[in-house]
Amino acid sequence: MTYIIRNNKKITLSLLILVFGFLMPLNAQIIHINTNDNSLIFKVDKAKKLHQVHYGKRLSSTQGLIHLTPVFNEAYPSFGNGQSDEVALIAKHADGTLVTDLYYESHEQTLNDGVQTTTIHLEDEKKPFYVNLYFKGYKQNNVIEAWTTIHHKEKTSVRLDNFASASLGFKAVEYHLLHFYGSHAREMQITQERLSNGIKTIETKRGVRTTEYENPSFMLSLNKPALEDSGEVVAGSLAWSGNFKLAFQVDDQERCQMIAGINPFASSYTIAPDEVFKTPKLIFTYSNKGKNQASINLHQWAKKYNLRDGNKTRPIVLNSWEGAYFTFDEKRLKSMIDSAASMGVEIFVLDDGWFGNMHPRNNSKAGLGDWQVNKKKLPNGIKGLIDYTEFKGMKFGIWVEPEMVNPKSELAENRLEWIIQRGNERQALLQRNQSLLDLSNPEVQDFVYNVIDNILKDNPRIAYVKWDANRNIQNFGSTYLSANKQSHLWIEYAHGLENVYKKLTKNYPNKIFQSCASGGGRVEYGALKYTHEFWPSDDTDPFERIFIQWGTNHIFPPIATATHVTNSPNHQTGRETSLKFRFDVAFAGRLGIELSPDKLKKKDLDFAKKAINSYKDVRDVIQHGDLYRLLSPYDDDGYAAINYVSKDKKEAILMVYSHAYHRRLERNLVRMQGLEKGAIYRVEEINKDEGKQLITVNGKDISADIFINVGIKVGLRKPLTSLILKLTKVN
Ligand code: DGJ
């Protein structure tokens, strides 16, 4: 169904009644963007100005709304029309003026397959300058995507200095902002603060590895801090692989306005007449049932609409990095493959170090850019390894870092102009001994595409590609972009990356792609559209991972989160942990192994085999079910707990972790969520440490009521211990 409203001229009475269910005054109108439980409503006033009037619980009737005076600023505030708060748009017009004053022109809405698409056309009062606001309402998941296009028909180019994806207004007594911060090997830590008057921004200016220090995601509690299962909260994320900025301004009227989009920092962007500037999508959801429901909305929406092959169950990976690093040959890898296969692993992924001949990649100092297999290490090529891996019943995956180049490489020697520099007279800065290729250049995009295309063409049986990126933009100079477009580099880099992603997705629909950037530097929905999963962190210490995964699952689904069992003592932190604890923490996402399995003791190998088998049995619940956060690792009592429930509620998995010493404390009751009310579940402890009795209910049938309202006692007294229970509905 499509309905078009153009200054009230083309609209018929019957259509009005059909769409809005009431008769509107001649010059004012309501635009209702909705999902099953949420409404985002705009009002066009008599002066044809567009204002948001509501975002929150779905209104069953909008009758009378038209009479309310909106409390919020214009829906897409622009600079120069009297507005003194943050703006979404600043444009320097062809005549040099900075004023833009946008008015409603028309809008249309369509509804297809549970997705309502709304386009609102705005135009400047005096100039041929146009802004379209787009909103997609995903009915079932209560998620809205918002983005904007900007174009003009002025005589010469227009320079855009601000170009947000969306602006959203909130009205509450207090605002509490939960967001994510970190560093390399400590990503997605949670912090929450009450917003005071002024502006709080979440942003990055790194260009690549954009999500390592902050993530373009948030949860904004209204009135008081939302709990997991109660309170009002808006959660969202910007789908963009470049610089981002999310600004939250609390003003003198106690309103909070969020303006989110590409970070305009040093990014003025010039558009010629008729050229369209399109912003990335802001994804958001509202829940009045607490934070957990907001996370479930985002997870299930992503699996259906934004994560590549979100409905497909993911295989178990063995990644060679922490087991072998750069030091391997065919014999070493074959030994790892043998034991990986015997454990039940499904894909063997060869990480960094397999390429470069003139400049062999034996450490991070050489070889990046020279994507030919190193003949000394792998005399039978990748093909020899694939044959062996497949012979052992597994698939083969490979690591690449195609955007990067070591100065010590044939590529750098031959293609200096492809490297992002700092002008001619300044020395370019290296990070991890490497430079960055200029993806704003279509030739470089072709090169990056061809790196992967050639590898996959030569080895069509490769099933999985890990795409890494281990530096930021940092230098700022493109030999491709003209002098007056140098400030486009931040944005064009991200566009170039997306072009390559798109082409690969189109031409390789059946390969699995992992996005990695020194760990969690590309954990965002822009990349996830084209990738199946991300590597959340190079910190694989299970104690640390409990926190990293806890933060990550606020916004991103467990199926996309690669969680690997690595060595003890851990290579980053030196902490020793049991194999069970490492497995139990890695069970919370897409399970993988990242150690030398051939070096495990028999006892550990046996445990690993059983654990991998158990994961296969329960992975559909973990990868496709709903996740509930029960006990936060951030609380003082030294536990963390989550449970997963399958869509049909027939199966559930409870995971409990202790990360402190609990003396003889007996009060550690864990209450579950999401089970079918009135149902009875049979309990089975999995990944059991032989001889240890952690619960008294193993093998027993227990009602959902008890799990939800009474809770069960788990015997975890020591730090770094854990428990996993599988619940199967018996009636
Ligand atoms: C950084 C990644 O996060 C690691 O997993 C590994 O792939 C290394 N790069 C390889 O250089």
Side-chain angles (χ1 to χ4, degrees):
M1 176 172 66
T2 305
Y3 33 99
I4 298 174
I5 300 167
R6 206 164 284 277
N7 287 341
N8 292 339
K9 281 178 217 147
K10 292 189 190 159
I11 200 153
T12 65
L13 183 62
S14 58
L15 201 55
L16 259 179
I17 291 167
L18 179 72
V19 174
F20 299 116
F22 66 97
L23 243 177
M24 293 179 300
L26 203 60
N27 289 320
Q29 44 184 302
I30 290 294
I31 303 170
H32 189 180
I33 292 148
N34 56 60
T35 66
N36 287 353
D37 302 329
N38 297 175
S39 288
L40 170 61
I41 302 180
F42 293 98
K43 175 178 171 176
V44 184
D45 67 16
K46 288 182 183 161
K48 293 207 286 164
K49 280 285 176 187
L50 183 76
H51 291 270
Q52 180 194 321
V53 277
H54 174 71
Y55 177 53
K57 194 172 175 347
R58 176 162 179 165
L59 305 189
S60 51
S61 163
T62 56
Q63 181 160 358
L65 205 63
I66 204 97
H67 305 301
L68 301 188
T69 312
V71 297
F72 299 118
N73 290 330
E74 283 183 34
Y76 195 73
S78 59
F79 179 69
N81 65 355
Q83 155 100 19
S84 50
D85 290 330
E86 280 286 277
V87 291
L89 175 80
I90 303 178
K92 183 177 176 220
H93 294 282
D95 61 5
T97 56
L98 287 168
V99 175
T100 306
D101 203 359
L102 298 171
Y103 287 81
Y104 168 87
E105 196 266 332
S106 64
H107 79 276
E108 61 260 1
Q109 290 188 298
T110 60
L111 180 61
N112 283 315
D113 231 358
V115 184
Q116 180 207 46
T117 305
T118 304
T119 310
I120 305 174
H121 304 273
L122 305 174
E123 64 183 20
D124 186 76
E125 190 192 16
K126 300 287 181 199
K127 296 188 186 300
F129 182 88
Y130 312 93
V131 171
N132 292 342
L133 307 182
Y134 298 86
F135 301 91
K136 259 190 180 182
Y138 296 84
K139 297 269 175 187
Q140 206 194 344
N141 303 110
N142 293 311
V143 166
I144 295 177
E145 278 180 330
W147 73 99
T148 299
T149 60
I150 303 165
H151 70 284
H152 69 89
K153 291 182 183 298
E154 299 188 22
K155 289 206 173 80
T156 54
S157 291
V158 168
R159 191 186 79 201
L160 303 176
D161 290 331
N162 269 47
F163 26 67
S165 293
S167 163
L168 275 183
F170 308 101
K171 187 76 186 96
V173 183
E174 290 173 15
Y175 306 94
H176 296 262
L177 180 66
L178 180 157
H179 57 107
F180 308 91
Y181 71 98
S183 63
H184 173 242
R186 199 158 187 264
E187 299 84 344
M188 288 305 267
Q189 305 295 303
I190 290 179
T191 182
Q192 179 161 299
E193 63 206 84
R194 180 173 171 182
L195 294 180
S196 53
N197 282 46
I199 302 175
K200 165 82 196 172
T201 62
I202 303 169
E203 63 177 324
T204 187
K205 297 173 181 140
R206 290 167 200 270
V208 180
R209 299 195 299 194
T210 56
T211 66
E212 203 161 36
Y213 296 82
E214 306 209 17
N215 192 281
S217 305
F218 67 93
M219 282 195 172
L220 183 71
S221 293
L222 306 177
N223 296 311
K224 58 183 181 197
L227 302 178
E228 289 296 355
D229 56 359
S230 67
E232 273 190 287
V233 63
V234 177
S237 200
L238 188 77
W240 177 240
S241 302
N243 287 348
F244 57 81
K245 180 171 177 180
L246 287 74
F248 298 81
Q249 177 167 32
V250 178
D251 67 9
D252 62 320
Q253 300 299 310
E254 291 170 358
R255 299 173 299 190
C256 178
Q257 183 181 25
M258 180 190 69
I259 294 188
I262 296 174
N263 195 338
F265 172 75
S267 293
S268 294
Y269 199 99
T270 307
I271 47 171
D274 286 323
E275 191 179 337
V276 178
F277 183 88
K278 185 177 173 192
T279 73
K281 289 171 178 166
L282 178 72
I283 296 148
F284 53 96
T285 183
Y286 163 86
S287 154
N288 58 5
K289 298 190 192 83
K291 292 183 286 186
N292 208 123
Q293 186 58 53
S295 300
I296 290 176
N297 292 350
L298 292 173
H299 293 176
Q300 295 301 345
W301 167 82
K303 270 168 55 50
K304 198 160 174 202
Y305 298 106
N306 196 98
L307 173 66
R308 196 160 158 197
D309 294 331
N311 58 350
K312 281 196 190 155
T313 299
R314 308 310 201 221
I316 298 167
V317 166
L318 186 129
N319 179 294
S320 68
W321 182 240
E322 287 203 23
Y325 294 105
F326 293 107
T327 316
F328 57 80
D329 55 17
E330 197 178 270
K331 192 166 161 241
R332 175 90 200 82
L333 295 179
K334 280 186 172 172
S335 167
M336 289 173 84
I337 291 168
D338 286 343
S339 31
S342 78
M343 285 161 86
V345 166
E346 295 160 318
I347 296 197
F348 174 80
V349 178
L350 177 57
D351 209 281
D352 200 351
W354 59 266
F355 49 89
N357 286 300
M358 196 181 308
H359 303 284
R361 179 77 170 165
N362 292 329
N363 51 45
S364 66
K365 294 194 179 126
L368 268 183
D370 299 349
W371 299 102
Q372 316 87 27
V373 65
N374 180 289
K375 292 193 184 115
K376 213 164 147 202
K377 284 182 180 173
L378 302 174
N380 297 307
I382 301 285
K383 188 177 169 302
L385 273 183
I386 297 179
D387 287 345
Y388 193 74
T389 312
E390 291 194 343
F391 168 68
K392 289 284 168 175
M394 293 185 295
K395 302 232 179 251
F396 187 85
I398 200 147
W399 177 97
V400 286
E401 197 183 359
E403 299 152 82
M404 305 288 169
V405 55
N406 284 128
K408 250 188 167 181
S409 66
E410 288 175 71
L411 181 68
E413 282 156 17
N414 296 324
R415 288 294 190 178
L416 191 61
E417 76 282 7
W418 280 2
I419 293 174
I420 292 184
Q421 295 158 10
R422 289 208 302 158
N424 292 333
E425 75 252 301
R426 288 172 228 272
Q427 181 79 32
L429 308 167
L430 296 179
Q431 262 182 352
R432 206 200 188 203
N433 312 305
Q434 66 199 51
S435 301
L436 183 65
L437 297 178
D438 181 0
L439 264 180
S440 72
N441 182 345
E443 262 186 36
V444 175
Q445 293 168 28
D446 286 346
F447 170 80
V448 170
Y449 173 81
N450 288 335
V451 166
I452 300 178
D453 184 50
N454 290 339
I455 296 171
L456 293 179
K457 267 198 200 131
D458 289 349
N459 305 284
R461 287 175 292 149
I462 288 181
Y464 175 110
V465 177
K466 172 175 174 178
W467 179 327
D468 203 350
N470 288 299
R471 67 159 294 158
N472 302 327
I473 288 192
Q474 200 186 26
N475 299 314
F476 200 82
S478 166
T479 51
Y480 169 75
L481 294 169
S482 58
N484 60 355
K485 287 195 173 169
Q486 286 292 309
S487 59
H488 291 206
L489 179 58
W490 297 113
I491 294 175
E492 288 313 326
Y493 189 94
H495 282 155
L497 179 69
E498 190 171 15
N499 289 345
V500 181
Y501 276 155
K502 273 191 186 150
K503 201 163 160 192
L504 281 171
T505 306
K506 184 164 165 268
N507 294 343
Y508 292 101
N510 299 319
K511 310 286 180 198
I512 300 175
F513 283 83
Q514 181 187 74
S515 128
C516 169
S518 302
R522 272 193 182 144
V523 179
E524 39 84 15
Y525 278 118
L528 275 179
K529 209 157 178 163
Y530 308 101
T531 53
H532 296 76
E533 58 178 38
F534 51 81
W535 182 231
S537 181
D538 276 351
D539 187 348
T540 53
D541 174 336
F543 168 74
E544 305 268 324
R545 271 298 183 107
I546 290 175
F547 290 84
I548 293 168
Q549 290 166 200
W550 185 267
T552 305
N553 74 37
H554 274 63
I555 305 292
F556 303 99
I559 188 172
T561 312
T563 48
H564 292 185
V565 174
T566 59
N567 297 285
S568 173
N570 183 269
H571 289 184
Q572 284 78 28
T573 65
R575 187 178 278 118
E576 286 192 41
T577 50
S578 70
L579 190 61
K580 171 177 167 56
F581 189 64
R582 280 175 276 151
F583 260 104
D584 284 1
V585 174
F587 257 51
R590 193 280 285 135
L591 177 69
I593 316 289
E594 196 166 324
L595 42 69
S596 298
D598 49 342
K599 294 193 176 151
L600 287 177
K601 293 193 189 109
K602 163 119 187 18
K603 179 173 96 27
D604 288 341
L605 199 62
D606 290 345
F607 181 89
K609 274 184 201 167
K610 268 173 90 176
I612 286 174
N613 229 353
S614 299
Y615 183 79
K616 287 179 183 164
D617 176 40
V618 299
R619 74 172 139 192
D620 275 356
V621 187
I622 294 165
Q623 296 187 6
H624 302 296
D626 286 337
L627 169 75
Y628 294 87
R629 291 183 295 269
L630 309 173
L631 298 176
S632 167
Y634 285 89
D635 290 347
D636 289 339
D637 58 356
Y639 291 106
I642 45 181
N643 77 244
Y644 300 76
V645 182
S646 64
K647 282 307 215 189
D648 61 8
K649 297 197 184 275
K650 285 189 176 150
E651 279 189 298
I653 310 294
L654 170 67
M655 301 180 184
V656 189
Y657 309 108
S658 158
H659 56 88
Y661 168 54
H662 301 283
R663 52 192 167 89
R664 293 280 176 267
L665 197 65
E666 296 278 343
R667 69 166 171 83
N668 48 339
L669 285 175
V670 181
R671 291 186 194 164
M672 293 179 68
Q673 294 216 19
L675 301 174
E676 185 183 310
K677 296 213 169 74
I680 306 290
Y681 290 89
R682 181 156 303 159
V683 183
E684 184 196 346
E685 186 184 344
I686 56 176
N687 292 357
K688 201 165 165 353
D689 242 349
E690 289 316 325
K692 289 202 181 145
Q693 177 75 31
L694 290 175
I695 48 160
T696 53
V697 293
N698 201 16
K700 303 281 186 295
D701 294 349
I702 313 266
S703 80
D705 239 25
I706 293 177
F707 280 115
I708 295 169
N709 298 312
V710 181
I712 59 155
K713 210 175 75 172
V714 292
L716 300 177
R717 285 178 180 159
K718 293 187 181 165
L720 312 179
T721 54
S722 52
L723 169 84
I724 301 194
L725 298 185
K726 173 184 170 192
L727 273 58
T728 312
K729 193 179 146 204
V730 283
N731 62 50

